[in-house]
Amino acid sequence: MIRRAFLVGGAAVIGGGVFAIKYADGAAESSAAAMTNGKDGHNFATWLRIGEDDTVTLYSPHTDIGQGSNTGLGQMLAEELDAAWDKIAVVSAPAESPFANVVLGRGFLSEMSGYPGIVASLPESLLSMVARSMNLQITGGSSALRFTGERGFRVIGAATRMALVETAAKRLGVPAAELTTADSKVLHAKTGRALRYGELAAEAATRSLDTAPALKAAKDFRYIGKSVPRFDIPAKVDGTAQYGMDVIKPDMRVATVIAAPVRGGKLLSVDAAPAMAIKGVEKVISLDSAVVVVARGYWQALKGARALQPKFSDGGNEKIWTANIFAEQDKLRVAGKPDKTVGNGDVEAGFMTAGAKLVEADYKLPFLHHAMMEPFALTAHFKDGKLDVWGGLQDPLGSKMQAAKAAGLAADKVTFHPMLIGGSFGRRLPMYTEIVDQVARTAMQVPYPVKLIWSREEEVKQGAYRPQSSAKLKAALTADGKIAAWSYDFAQPEDGLREVPLFYDLPAATRRHFKQVSNQTVGAWRSVNATQHGFFAESFIDELAHAAGADPFEFRKRHLKPGSRHLAVLEEAAKRSGWGTPLPAGTGRGIAIVECFETIAAHVVEATLKDDGTPKVLKVTAVVDCGTVVNPVNAEAQVMGGIVMGLSTAISEAITLEKGIVVQSNFNDYEVLKLADTPAIDIHFLSSSAAMGGLGEPGLPPAAPALANALFAATGKRVRQLPIGVQAKA
């Protein structure tokens, strides 16, 4: 994405020049205004509309996946706008290019490119054009509040408030400096006069907005930092919330799909007769690597699909097994030709330190499924030369463009209607979401609306998994228990090193990535690469503490810089968890700390073993520094969800392969943590002056290593391969 952004931006400058870029940017903003303006409201800076009844509508480029970020975005806008909270509404932005998320593009480019100074110097109009060219409307990367909210909607709110004040000053004939704002009104204290935002909006919308207005200091916050009720909860409680699975259209049909069991395989042949013999089945459609069955209802479609015996090729991938992937990763490390190396100091010299003790360990992690509660369900209707698509995906604009390509239509002939999402964790990004292509191609072949539903079995077996990965770590310990050198060789498709810094203060350290790919589709998974790197590094640092004869908490402390955020988080976690106090026999405590998405999280886990040898987690204490917390209750929920998901993957989740085929097929053999096994969870946030970090993902990565470390403390047995439960039963 980053490389493409720079290429697109460079081509634009060379091909069209600055004038063309600014013209395109202005045209996009005008187009956005045309979509959201109306007789009773007026658009500000694409994303904001103020109605003449004082209603403030925020057009969010982020999709509701249950994370509550749209409420947080509303808080951040209302804070700077000084709007009355009961006047705030947040709706989905249209899935159209004028609503591409420029602020998100700038944030991701700055963070992932490694050149934040260069990105900061790029003109906003250029970045806007790049975001539109990339169809950027993504929800992911813990980005909604820290990028769109902090760098976008707060700025828009403050600038719009200034425009309203200037308009009021003109009308009242007083200096703008004499005016204040509160509860969607501009107030003049000297005369007691007041003007509502709604009666100022039409004129204020004609003013140029300040691109760098002064923002409020934290001491003046009224909404940020408050646990206001979420916008989405009432509809989810009373059942009126509509998800992709809920779509019903007149004369609609329902379809389901069977794809090649071996990823990379193609459809060779299929006899449609057995499916067509099922009452209610109306059509069987052959795609490149799948078969779609269309029927009057889902049950008929599923029965029809199960009656088929399609023949698929295996794409030459029948020799791929779970064990073979690990063996291939080992061979790459032995060959010693990494695809990427980062680090500092002379590691080899560190290993030769006189009297140093060398410690080595190998770790293995499986493919992981996203296990979203709502399986894929998209509805599409092709009529009068236009295609409409309804459903919940993490990038509505990107999904629209993908559907247009699959259907062979121009973008302006396709409309994507964003809906709520019943879980995702990265699975519903269109770049590896095959259902968009499938439903678009299906809709082009039938005269009625069609809802395409993936069965749970299809959804498990055809995932875009967290990659199977492994790592070999080595370190030298000096006589005084300090790390003299550290090496870290890991293998998986992508490196992800920018996402997860190695923050320990080490004189020599290197991390080397060895690229290894299989036939499986891998993609963003909650916390992306931080879950793998967090497990590898925090498991190994615990092993080093044991080898040094040191307490794991104290050992970490001695390798963190005094006064650092990391040290503050670690110490608070130890303090709040009662680190060092006695525990019952057979119970242990483990600690881990991981930084990702500009947020630092440390977990202390108390755990024991059940009679069958599988883990029982008793308590988790978490301390998090994400800079500013916008909505404390929702922030706690995000961290808690991450902890539960992290523990679940550590204990029981794994996708395995035999002959290139995924073995697991449903929740009976892909087990997720049950409510009865959920531990007591205690979460605390540290306030810091750091830039705002993300919260959707950072709560997850420390969970698995903290659990593994707790089990070592309880049993003396080191966990180096997940899931722990499967290893215990083997």
Side-chain angles (χ1 to χ4, degrees):
M1 182 184 84
I2 295 162
R3 180 175 179 272
R4 180 183 171 196
F6 277 113
L7 289 175
V8 170
V13 173
I14 294 169
V18 174
F19 176 79
I21 293 170
K22 288 185 176 180
Y23 178 81
D25 193 42
E29 189 164 326
S30 296
S31 179
M35 293 181 201
T36 55
N37 271 336
K39 291 187 296 183
D40 60 345
H42 307 278
N43 177 285
F44 294 80
T46 300
W47 307 103
L48 172 62
R49 181 174 182 267
I50 298 180
E52 293 177 6
D53 62 353
D54 297 337
T55 299
V56 175
T57 303
L58 176 62
Y59 293 91
S60 172
H62 294 285
T63 307
D64 186 327
I65 315 176
Q67 77 278 40
S69 60
N70 280 339
T71 300
L73 292 174
Q75 288 177 254
M76 298 174 89
L77 176 82
E79 187 67 75
E80 298 295 344
L81 186 60
D82 276 343
W85 183 247
D86 61 358
K87 295 293 185 179
I88 297 286
V90 181
V91 300
S92 293
E96 301 293 341
S97 60
F99 291 90
N101 194 340
V102 181
V103 176
L104 182 70
R106 182 185 285 276
F108 275 150
L109 278 173
S110 178
E111 187 172 277
M112 302 300 288
S113 68
Y115 301 102
I118 294 176
V119 174
S121 68
L122 295 176
E124 195 73 17
S125 55
L126 172 60
L127 286 167
S128 178
M129 188 209 63
V130 170
R132 291 193 302 274
S133 72
M134 296 178 67
N135 308 311
L136 194 61
Q137 215 176 54
I138 289 174
T139 299
S142 294
S143 61
L145 300 191
R146 69 187 177 113
F147 289 158
T148 309
E150 182 71 7
R151 306 180 193 182
F153 291 164
R154 283 190 69 189
V155 173
I156 291 169
T160 301
R161 186 182 64 81
M162 288 175 59
L164 291 164
V165 168
E166 290 165 358
T167 302
K170 177 183 174 184
R171 289 196 188 176
L172 297 174
V174 300
E178 293 183 3
L179 299 175
T180 58
T181 52
D183 294 327
S184 297
K185 296 183 182 71
V186 180
L187 311 167
H188 188 237
K190 288 183 178 180
T191 61
R193 290 180 292 175
L195 293 172
R196 296 181 298 103
Y197 282 2
E199 59 187 311
L200 296 168
E203 184 179 345
T206 65
R207 293 176 176 270
S208 296
L209 297 185
D210 189 341
T211 58
L215 302 182
K216 285 185 181 180
K219 64 180 180 61
D220 297 322
F221 286 164
R222 180 181 175 191
Y223 297 120
I224 294 176
K226 302 296 188 297
S227 295
V228 302
R230 279 170 45 171
F231 293 132
D232 56 308
I233 298 301
K236 291 175 179 177
V237 172
D238 66 23
T240 58
Q242 293 292 294
Y243 294 84
M245 192 66 76
D246 298 323
V247 173
I248 298 176
K249 298 294 175 184
D251 202 31
M252 184 181 78
R253 304 298 194 271
V254 181
T256 195
V257 64
I258 296 178
V262 180
R263 279 279 192 179
K266 299 295 182 184
L267 178 64
L268 300 177
S269 64
V270 61
D271 178 4
M276 296 300 294
I278 304 293
K279 184 178 180 180
V281 173
E282 297 187 353
K283 194 174 183 67
V284 175
I285 298 173
S286 296
L287 300 177
D288 291 343
S289 58
V291 180
V292 176
V293 178
V294 184
R296 287 279 175 175
Y298 177 66
W299 180 236
Q300 296 98 315
L302 187 62
K303 286 179 65 179
R306 289 175 174 173
L308 295 175
Q309 293 184 322
K311 293 179 179 172
F312 295 96
S313 69
D314 60 25
N317 297 315
E318 77 284 354
K319 294 182 180 180
I320 298 178
W321 293 62
T322 295
N324 295 349
I325 294 175
F326 284 134
E328 185 179 339
Q329 293 176 350
D330 286 337
K331 288 179 182 178
L332 288 172
R333 278 187 288 267
V334 171
K337 296 180 180 179
D339 293 274
K340 185 174 184 178
T341 301
V342 298
N344 64 280
D346 190 336
V347 172
E348 291 303 319
F351 288 153
M352 302 298 291
T353 301
K357 177 192 292 187
L358 295 181
V359 180
E360 298 183 56
D362 294 321
Y363 302 95
K364 294 181 173 66
L365 293 175
F367 287 113
L368 286 181
H369 181 47
H370 294 78
M372 53 194 188
M373 289 297 101
E374 179 195 19
F376 280 128
L378 289 184
T379 302
H381 188 198
F382 180 66
K383 183 180 180 181
D384 299 330
K386 296 182 178 181
L387 178 67
D388 284 88
V389 182
W390 294 264
L393 292 173
Q394 287 177 255
D395 185 350
L397 178 53
S399 300
K400 163 196 165 88
M401 297 303 182
Q402 186 175 333
K405 182 179 180 181
L409 297 172
D412 63 356
K413 300 297 183 183
V414 178
T415 301
F416 188 91
H417 305 270
M419 303 190 72
L420 299 177
I421 295 177
S424 177
F425 314 113
R427 180 62 179 103
R428 297 178 192 262
L429 289 165
M431 64 280 288
Y432 38 73
T433 304
E434 301 88 342
I435 191 173
V436 176
D437 183 275
Q438 293 168 351
V439 77
R441 293 179 186 275
T442 299
M444 299 301 288
Q445 299 186 48
V446 296
Y448 36 67
V450 59
K451 181 196 293 183
L452 179 59
I453 299 173
W454 278 26
S455 67
R456 178 66 70 187
E457 290 76 11
E458 193 73 10
E459 191 254 328
V460 172
K461 284 184 168 291
Q462 299 290 334
Y465 311 113
R466 187 196 75 175
Q468 181 175 329
S469 58
S470 60
K472 183 179 183 65
L473 285 88
K474 179 179 178 181
L477 287 171
T478 62
D480 61 351
K482 296 290 291 289
I483 300 173
W486 164 297
S487 71
Y488 176 142
D489 290 352
F490 69 102
Q492 62 177 37
E494 301 293 334
D495 67 89
L497 289 173
R498 290 197 181 278
E499 299 165 26
V500 194
L502 181 60
F503 47 78
Y504 290 110
D505 189 13
L506 307 177
T510 184
R511 293 190 289 175
R512 302 195 301 173
H513 168 239
F514 296 84
K515 185 174 183 177
Q516 184 274 330
V517 297
S518 70
N519 68 319
Q520 294 304 304
T521 299
V522 296
W525 188 91
R526 191 173 186 177
S527 79
V528 199
N529 293 293
T531 176
Q532 302 96 291
H533 289 309
F535 179 74
F536 297 148
E538 285 300 295
S539 294
F540 190 56
I541 201 82
D542 227 66
E543 296 211 38
L544 294 178
H546 178 69
D551 175 87
F553 161 62
E554 295 293 341
F555 186 78
R556 284 173 171 81
K557 273 183 64 176
R558 74 176 63 153
H559 291 94
L560 291 174
K561 292 181 179 179
S564 67
R565 293 171 64 204
H566 303 89
L567 182 57
V569 169
L570 185 75
E571 290 182 327
E572 190 69 14
K575 175 184 173 183
R576 289 185 177 273
S577 67
W579 185 269
T581 58
L583 288 170
T587 300
R589 283 194 191 94
I591 193 167
I593 178 170
V594 180
E595 178 185 353
C596 61
F597 303 97
E598 304 298 318
T599 290
I600 301 166
H603 297 349
V604 176
V605 167
E606 293 180 14
T608 187
L609 292 179
K610 300 178 183 177
D611 291 340
D612 63 359
T614 59
K616 173 65 176 178
V617 183
L618 305 172
K619 181 181 179 181
V620 180
T621 302
V623 173
V624 179
D625 178 0
C626 61
T628 301
V629 176
V630 174
N631 188 312
V633 167
N634 196 55
E636 183 177 320
Q638 285 291 285
V639 175
M640 188 175 294
I643 290 169
V644 172
M645 190 170 179
L647 293 175
S648 180
T649 60
I651 294 170
S652 59
E653 295 183 37
I655 290 291
T656 57
L657 302 179
E658 292 181 3
K659 296 182 179 180
I661 300 174
V662 172
V663 174
Q664 291 71 28
S665 63
N666 210 315
F667 289 133
N668 64 309
D669 53 10
Y670 188 87
E671 297 183 49
V672 297
L673 196 69
K674 298 177 177 62
L675 185 61
D677 291 319
T678 302
I681 300 176
D682 189 18
I683 298 170
H684 304 272
F685 292 94
L686 292 186
S687 297
S688 74
S689 58
M692 182 180 291
L695 269 180
E697 298 170 282
L700 190 151
L707 172 57
N709 297 337
L711 293 177
F712 174 77
T715 68
K717 295 180 180 180
R718 185 62 69 179
V719 174
R720 295 194 180 101
Q721 184 170 353
L722 300 181
I724 302 167
V726 172
Q727 308 305 316
K729 294 176 181 179

